């Protein structure tokens, strides 16, 4: 994984775009000992973050000859992280807002998910964009872990779940990201987003399709898919 992040860092430097957030994905339990952690991360570039909170359906680009998927995710926006130590309870104090959203995963390499988490991490974590959906009202007191989430592709339901099976939930993803980026010497600026992990699964999509997610029965996030 250290080699994978070294490749990722080199790619970020060559790319030159501003990073507006980070995606966090899960490493399968059977591979945790080998790779030394249960999550991985990759950058989300600022020009690939779109606001879909007002009912719009951003057109999201994918590599049509590679791999592409849409994932329902809870999105956390960091405030001031600083240098203090955080835990699963206190980390909420450095989160400015929590929103619903969809992550677009796409890579030119069609078999990216068949070669293990280090390959995924080396290729920007298999991220190609983020849709910022409506905010979750009262998120500090809400039972986010048990909030029902559904994912649809072309209006067909392809997944439904809660975050109860998502390790230690979205705030655990925030803790992982703080720790991992600090170890890499990467500061987290206020306003940085974290896409906390796929809730209903990784749902493959193709150019021309539409996808939407529904959170807590009444918060909807939409997008359409197009090829690069």
């Amino acid at each position: 994984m250290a080699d994978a992040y070294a490749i990722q860092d080199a790619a970020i430097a060559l790319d030159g775009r501003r990073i507006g957030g980070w995606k966090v994905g899960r490493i399968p339990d059977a591979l945790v000992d080998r790779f030394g952690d249960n999550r991985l991360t990759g950058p989300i570039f600022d020009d690939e973050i779109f606001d879909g909170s007002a009912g719009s359906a951003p057109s999201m680009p994918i590599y049509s000859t590679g791999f592409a998927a849409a994932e329902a995710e809870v999105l956390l926006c960091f405030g001031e992280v600083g240098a203090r130590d955080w835990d699963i309870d206190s980390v909420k104090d450095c989160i400015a807002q929590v929103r619903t959203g969809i992550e677009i995963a796409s890579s030119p390499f069609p078999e990216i998910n068949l070669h293990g988490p280090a390959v995924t991490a080396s290729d920007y974590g298999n991220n190609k964009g983020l849709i910022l959906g409506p905010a979750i009202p009262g998120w500090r007191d809400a039972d986010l872990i048990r909030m029902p989430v559904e994912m649809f592709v072309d209006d067909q339901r392809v997944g439904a779940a809660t975050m109860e099976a998502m390790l230690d939930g979205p705030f655990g993803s925030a803790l992982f990201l703080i720790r991992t980026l600090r170890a890499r010497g990467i500061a987290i600026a206020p306003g940085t987003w974290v896409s906390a992990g796929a809730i209903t699964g990784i749902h493959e999509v193709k150019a021309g399709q539409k996808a939407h997610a529904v959170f807590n029965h009444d918060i909807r996030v939409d997008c359409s898919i197009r090829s690069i």
Side-chain angles (χ1 to χ4, degrees):
M1 192 57 72
D3 290 341
Y5 285 141
I7 293 169
Q8 188 187 107
D9 289 340
I12 290 169
L14 286 169
D15 190 295
R17 287 179 292 167
R18 180 182 180 275
I19 294 173
W22 296 84
K23 67 85 55 77
V24 174
R26 183 170 183 172
I27 292 177
D29 292 342
L31 298 177
V32 167
D33 288 343
R34 177 181 173 186
F35 290 98
D37 218 324
N38 57 11
R39 289 177 166 103
L40 61 85
T41 189
I44 307 173
F45 293 104
D46 196 56
D47 64 348
E48 294 181 336
I49 298 177
F50 298 88
D51 191 345
S53 62
S56 61
S59 177
M60 303 300 292
I62 62 165
Y63 298 102
S64 59
T65 59
F67 175 85
E71 304 168 7
E73 310 216 359
V74 163
L75 315 179
L76 313 178
C77 183
F78 282 111
E80 188 64 49
V81 175
R84 65 168 284 186
D85 292 330
W86 303 96
D87 60 28
I88 195 67
D89 295 316
S90 66
V91 74
K92 293 182 180 181
D93 294 335
C94 73
I95 303 300
Q97 60 175 305
V98 177
R99 292 171 71 163
T100 56
I102 295 175
E103 183 204 348
I104 300 299
S106 189
S107 168
F109 181 35
E111 297 181 354
I112 185 169
N113 287 335
L114 303 180
H115 294 268
V119 169
T120 300
S122 72
D123 189 9
Y124 292 154
N126 195 13
N127 175 267
K128 192 56 185 164
L130 190 66
I131 301 105
L132 306 177
I136 297 175
W139 63 266
R140 290 185 182 274
D141 299 316
D143 188 3
L144 295 182
I145 294 295
R146 293 178 177 82
M147 181 177 65
V149 181
E150 297 174 283
M151 189 71 194
F152 298 80
V153 175
D154 285 342
D155 293 322
Q156 298 295 313
R157 193 170 81 161
V158 293
T162 67
M163 287 174 273
E164 291 176 274
M166 203 175 99
L167 299 174
D168 45 4
F171 298 106
S173 292
L175 281 177
F176 160 82
L177 189 63
I178 292 170
R179 170 172 51 81
T180 301
L181 294 186
R182 280 177 176 172
R184 294 167 61 185
I186 299 173
I188 300 176
T192 299
W193 290 97
V194 53
S195 192
I199 300 169
T200 66
I202 300 169
H203 310 293
E204 294 193 33
V205 292
K206 299 177 181 178
Q209 291 187 309
K210 297 179 180 180
H212 74 271
V214 178
F215 296 78
N216 205 32
H217 304 299
D218 60 356
I219 304 175
R220 177 164 168 159
V221 188
D222 286 84
C223 69
S224 61
I225 308 298
R226 61 179 174 86
S227 62
I228 294 175

